[in-house]
Amino acid sequence: HPPPVATDKEEQKRLLENRPDQPRNPKVLRIAIIGAPNAGKSTLSNQLLGRKVFPVSKKVHTTRCKAQGVITHEDTQLIILDTPGLTNPLKAKRHHLDEAMLTDPWDSMKRADLVVVLVDVSDHWTRNSLSKEVLKCLSQFPHIPSVLVLNKVDVLKKKFLLLEIATDLTEGIVNGKKLEVKSALKQDSRSSVKPPFHITQASPPESKVPGSSFGQEKNQAQEGSGLDKSSDVGAAGTGEAQVPKHHEPEDLKDAKGWPHFQEIFMLAALRGEEVDTLKRYLLMQAKPGPWEFHSDVLTSQSPQEVCDNIVREKVLEYLPLEVPYGVTQVTEIWEEGECGELLIMQRLLVPRESHKRMLIGRGGKVISRIAREAGQDLMNAFLCDVRLKLKVEVK
């Protein structure tokens, strides 16, 4: 079970400053999850962590701070560098975003050992090509291994579209080998999920190993559609995959995909489907190296930051359009109650009287719903009873 976030600021600070409890042969992997705003990066991070510590909302730019998540499993530590959605200066101005929102993803990339590129396949406007910002990011750091994760596949009614999407986003090449498509309608009857296809990789000509089904063992074992190469492809005698060369901006002008991904995964992060497949893969990619955090650390955020983010997430969820971006939060009370519960009181300051009415809602319905839902999420993060009170005022 993942550790809870400490409720006391000093205790969390002490945990973060604690020397890591290094195992005998520690392994570590720093993972940058990048993608367009709202692709589901924070949802995926929370699912991998096993606790909700990053805010999630349908509105763009919910994640505004540079926060890390820490997964400690046996002798391995995965550090998730949860990055804001890659955006451009024009959009940043529209949403009153800090300068940091434009630079943070790049900082995360510099520290990453592996890049996870997340694409929301439910968005038919954007799903067939990687955004220019993502392509720019990948081309600036071509030496860092990357994997493609197709998210929200459960929303896609026509599963054959996944093939088109996967081919477009990889330019038909994964791990240096061409993707081939074979129909697999006569699939193993033990599997309850029957995707209408498999992606197989063509073996290099000098290899005698037959092209193997990308998803076959996985589908039989886990009844999912996480695309992953099975072991005999790895043994195909191709040697190390070549490191892609640095791409110039003009090379990317007409590019839609990235032909240097090492793997493709398909999942539904919100429902947690196939997230374990991805997690196991990430654990296997870890390299020998010292842990950065004590095993009791789940996130680098302070308890107050976790609270602010989760309350803000609900405000974003229930207020229309640009209104929530003008709300300021002030924590007035943060203390332990008589029965060990955590008491939190926050003032939400809004610029206009009309915004105040919206946020309170008729009969106080909106604000009490926000307090109730945020309180439940905070209980999940802190693993203790939480009593959250919210007051709305015009600043």
Side-chain angles (χ1 to χ4, degrees):
H1 291 286
V5 180
T7 56
D8 179 63
K9 190 178 173 183
E10 291 308 311
E11 190 187 336
Q12 175 72 346
K13 199 174 160 197
R14 216 168 29 249
L15 271 176
L16 290 170
E17 288 167 358
N18 250 356
R19 283 178 60 178
D21 44 341
Q22 304 284 358
R24 186 171 290 173
N25 299 306
K27 288 187 284 191
V28 69
L29 186 75
R30 292 168 201 83
I31 305 149
I33 301 180
I34 66 169
N38 221 6
K41 296 180 295 298
S42 295
T43 303
L44 178 59
S45 300
N46 288 335
Q47 289 280 0
L48 288 167
L49 287 167
R51 243 177 241 306
K52 183 168 179 178
V53 294
F54 295 122
V56 177
S57 158
K58 292 186 187 75
K59 290 232 171 56
V60 294
H61 308 307
T62 309
T63 302
R64 290 190 168 212
C65 65
K66 195 164 56 168
Q68 296 177 354
V70 184
I71 299 163
T72 305
H73 180 76
E74 293 170 1
D75 58 358
T76 304
Q77 195 162 76
L78 304 179
I79 298 163
I80 299 174
L81 314 162
D82 187 57
T83 52
L86 295 183
T87 188
N88 60 41
L90 192 71
K91 288 178 190 159
K93 202 172 172 193
R94 190 191 312 156
H95 289 286
H96 314 293
L97 303 180
D98 308 342
E99 191 65 27
M101 289 290 285
L102 294 168
T103 57
D104 277 355
W106 302 96
D107 293 345
S108 293
M109 288 291 288
K110 283 174 199 150
R111 297 190 52 225
D113 305 312
L114 181 88
V115 184
V116 171
V117 176
L118 196 61
V119 174
D120 172 3
V121 296
S122 71
D123 187 339
H124 64 276
W125 296 105
T126 59
R127 66 189 176 202
N128 285 85
S129 60
L130 296 173
S131 77
K132 287 284 167 271
E133 281 85 18
V134 168
L135 278 169
K136 191 172 149 197
C137 215
L138 289 168
S139 66
Q140 294 249 347
F141 302 92
H143 56 286
I144 304 174
S146 56
V147 297
L148 174 66
V149 174
L150 302 182
N151 191 20
K152 309 185 191 176
V153 295
D154 52 324
V155 179
L156 217 57
K157 297 281 182 279
K158 298 171 179 169
K159 294 295 184 237
F160 65 86
L161 288 173
L162 287 171
L163 275 183
E164 266 175 43
I165 295 166
T167 308
D168 286 346
L169 298 180
T170 60
E171 296 191 350
I173 296 168
V174 175
N175 204 18
K177 304 190 193 83
K178 202 166 160 35
L179 287 181
E180 283 188 348
V181 178
K182 288 184 183 174
S183 175
L185 290 169
K186 297 189 182 101
Q187 210 196 341
D188 192 304
S189 57
R190 285 172 299 177
S191 171
S192 64
V193 174
K194 296 186 172 57
F197 63 83
H198 276 149
I199 293 184
T200 71
Q201 287 186 306
S203 292
E206 72 277 9
S207 157
K208 295 193 173 64
V209 181
S212 95
S213 236
F214 239 33
Q216 202 147 16
E217 286 96 325
K218 281 277 187 309
N219 280 329
Q220 289 168 5
Q222 278 160 302
E223 307 177 348
S225 54
L227 293 192
D228 193 11
K229 295 194 308 306
S230 58
S231 54
D232 54 354
V233 173
T238 53
E240 286 294 300
Q242 285 183 327
V243 174
K245 67 180 192 308
H246 188 94
H247 292 253
E248 295 307 316
E250 53 270 22
D251 299 342
L252 301 172
K253 211 166 56 223
D254 304 314
K256 285 170 72 177
W258 180 249
H260 306 296
F261 288 119
Q262 298 202 340
E263 300 282 355
I264 307 174
F265 293 90
M266 298 191 179
L267 46 85
L270 190 60
R271 290 160 55 178
E273 290 175 16
E274 286 298 307
V275 173
D276 279 347
T277 308
L278 176 61
K279 192 170 178 176
R280 275 200 300 279
Y281 173 81
L282 296 173
L283 288 165
M284 281 163 57
Q285 300 309 303
K287 301 279 185 287
W291 286 2
E292 279 186 37
F293 295 95
H294 192 277
S295 59
D296 286 340
V297 172
L298 188 69
T299 177
S300 60
Q301 300 169 90
S302 72
Q304 276 86 348
E305 280 174 327
V306 172
C307 176
D308 284 355
N309 282 331
I310 283 176
V311 171
R312 193 170 162 278
E313 166 202 310
K314 307 300 176 194
V315 172
L316 280 166
E317 204 60 36
Y318 294 119
L319 288 191
L321 300 168
E322 303 292 304
V323 175
Y325 296 101
V327 177
T328 308
Q329 293 160 264
V330 181
T331 302
E332 295 201 322
I333 294 174
W334 185 289
E335 61 189 32
E336 194 177 310
E338 288 172 14
C339 307
E341 75 276 29
L342 179 62
L343 303 174
I344 304 170
M345 190 160 92
Q346 265 202 358
R347 269 191 308 157
L348 304 178
L349 306 175
V350 292
R352 297 196 185 94
E353 191 64 45
S354 59
H355 292 181
K356 179 182 172 179
R357 284 197 298 276
M358 270 186 228
L359 187 47
I360 292 172
R362 188 174 292 167
K365 267 192 180 152
V366 175
I367 196 67
S368 48
R369 185 172 181 180
I370 289 171
R372 186 175 66 249
E373 290 184 8
Q376 283 167 347
D377 283 350
L378 292 172
M379 284 189 211
N380 173 276
F382 297 134
L383 267 195
C384 71
D385 285 337
V386 175
R387 281 174 54 199
L388 174 67
K389 286 189 174 171
L390 299 174
K391 287 196 301 186
V392 187
E393 293 173 14
V394 178
K395 57 185 169 195

